[in-house]
Amino acid sequence: MKFLEQRSLVIVTGASRGFGSALCESFSKALMHSNFILIARDEARLVEVRDKLTAKYPTNSYEYLVCDLIDSNQVDTCSKKITELIQQNKDNRNYIFVHNAGSLGDIERPTVEVTSVESWTNYIQTNFLSLIVLNSAFIKSLPKSTMDINGNTRGGDTSDVSAPDQSSTEEDGSTSCLVVNVTSAAAKNPFQHMPQYCSIKAARDMYFKVLSKENPALRVLTYSPGPLETDMVQRLRQEWVLGESVASWPMLDCSASAEKMMEVIKENKFTDALAFDYFFGHDSVPITRDT
């Protein structure tokens, strides 16, 4: 299937800035007559992104949902709205959910001093539990005919998962689903004073591995975009104990990494739920303790 050339419903969290905004731009360039749902907590920035994309890509439609992921009630409301919007847009050939939103957490103290139950609870809610709720609502709302971009039927026996069938499904009326988990090298590498960020990135990666194992029809891309010039990196420079080391990182522009992710999706050769790194490809980043 020509995945990025089919009418799609695309959902992006953390869409108001940084990598999320760049992803919205890249998907918009690749798709026409498609529907976008932009999710973030900053309504003013969401409106700005929506209006910019609407003017630039008039064949697409853009809606936004304001949701602070730390608030479980807002997450529940957002999940119900996602279900409604999917049901209202059943004429799509592809359904794509990009889980991009994330935060650094406590980066100022060593691990043994990060002991606040409230801090951990809020961080897990924002960066992990909210993802689980939104992702489950998305998967459960998909049309029953949904197929992955390799043409495999949705659901089925998970005991014998053979190599993907590269045959096209353009003529049979089927639909496909892609879930993108934006991960980090921190999911594998222990960074000092970053216990929350490293732990939850690792947990998210495993969650999607289990999801993929149970649902071989779903395509799951776990993408590590590399070190990006964003507000998060600026905070690392200012507050992290190893902030000075950031100067040695090979910083990337968000749009460059977003375009790389589009190439990975278009080629459709990635292994489900196995980390694909901007620099190193599939899961080949060495585990080090240098930082």
Side-chain angles (χ1 to χ4, degrees):
M1 174 177 279
K2 296 178 181 179
F3 182 61
L4 292 179
E5 297 178 17
Q6 300 290 319
R7 180 183 177 91
S8 302
L9 174 68
V10 182
I11 306 173
V12 181
T13 64
S16 64
R17 67 188 71 204
F19 191 53
S21 177
L23 287 173
C24 292
E25 177 85 23
S26 292
F27 273 110
S28 294
K29 286 194 295 185
L31 297 167
M32 296 180 63
H33 307 290
S34 293
N35 304 296
F36 287 75
I37 303 173
L38 317 179
I39 301 175
R41 62 181 178 178
D42 188 332
E43 184 170 12
R45 294 286 293 264
L46 276 175
V47 171
E48 182 180 334
V49 172
R50 181 204 60 183
D51 291 349
K52 173 186 174 183
L53 294 173
T54 299
K56 198 170 182 179
Y57 306 100
T59 68
N60 294 327
S61 67
Y62 299 90
E63 297 190 47
Y64 70 84
L65 299 176
V66 178
C67 182
D68 189 341
L69 300 179
I70 198 172
D71 187 329
S72 60
N73 291 325
Q74 289 190 36
V75 172
D76 287 339
T77 299
C78 187
S79 68
K80 293 175 183 177
K81 188 63 177 177
I82 287 173
T83 297
E84 293 175 7
L85 290 172
I86 291 177
Q87 293 174 348
Q88 293 170 11
N89 294 276
K90 293 183 177 180
D91 56 344
N92 294 288
R93 297 300 300 273
N94 303 304
Y95 294 84
I96 305 166
F97 198 150
V98 182
H99 295 282
N100 165 70
S103 61
L104 285 172
D106 191 329
I107 60 172
E108 301 176 28
R109 294 175 291 175
T111 300
V112 294
E113 294 183 11
V114 184
T115 57
S116 167
V117 173
E118 180 180 8
S119 173
W120 275 101
T121 299
N122 289 340
Y123 190 80
I124 293 170
Q125 164 62 34
T126 301
N127 294 278
F128 192 35
L129 297 182
S130 61
L131 176 150
I132 293 171
V133 172
L134 296 179
N135 190 71
S136 294
F138 171 72
I139 298 297
K140 292 178 180 179
S141 303
L142 294 175
K144 296 300 181 183
S145 62
T146 298
M147 304 173 73
D148 72 352
I149 59 179
N150 289 315
N152 301 317
T153 56
R154 183 168 178 242
D157 182 7
T158 61
S159 62
D160 182 17
V161 182
S162 58
D165 176 7
Q166 297 295 334
S167 62
S168 173
T169 62
E170 293 179 31
E171 304 300 328
D172 62 8
S174 63
T175 56
S176 61
C177 174
L178 169 66
V179 176
V180 180
N181 165 37
V182 178
T183 188
S184 166
K188 292 183 61 178
N189 293 280
F191 288 80
Q192 294 181 46
H193 290 222
M194 297 179 69
Q196 293 178 331
Y197 188 76
C198 293
S199 298
I200 298 308
K201 281 296 186 183
R204 284 168 55 131
D205 284 8
M206 183 54 71
Y207 168 82
F208 281 106
K209 286 180 180 179
V210 174
L211 179 72
S212 178
K213 184 73 172 180
E214 295 174 348
N215 300 274
L218 302 179
R219 285 296 263 157
V220 180
L221 171 61
T222 291
Y223 179 71
S224 182
L228 304 175
E229 197 59 69
T230 62
D231 293 344
M232 290 176 67
V233 164
Q234 187 59 30
R235 186 186 166 208
L236 284 174
R237 290 190 180 104
Q238 296 173 350
E239 301 179 25
W240 191 32
V241 65
L242 297 176
E244 293 183 359
S245 67
V246 176
S248 65
W249 293 0
M251 301 304 299
L252 297 169
D253 181 76
C254 290
S255 60
S257 189
E259 287 300 313
K260 174 66 174 182
M261 196 181 93
M262 293 299 106
E263 294 175 8
V264 174
I265 293 172
K266 186 176 293 185
E267 291 176 1
N268 188 23
K269 295 180 180 179
F270 60 89
T271 301
D272 286 318
L274 186 64
F276 190 103
D277 184 85
Y278 176 92
F279 293 107
F280 302 100
H282 257 317
D283 213 23
S284 56
V285 184
I287 297 178
T288 69
R289 299 186 64 87
D290 294 340
T291 54

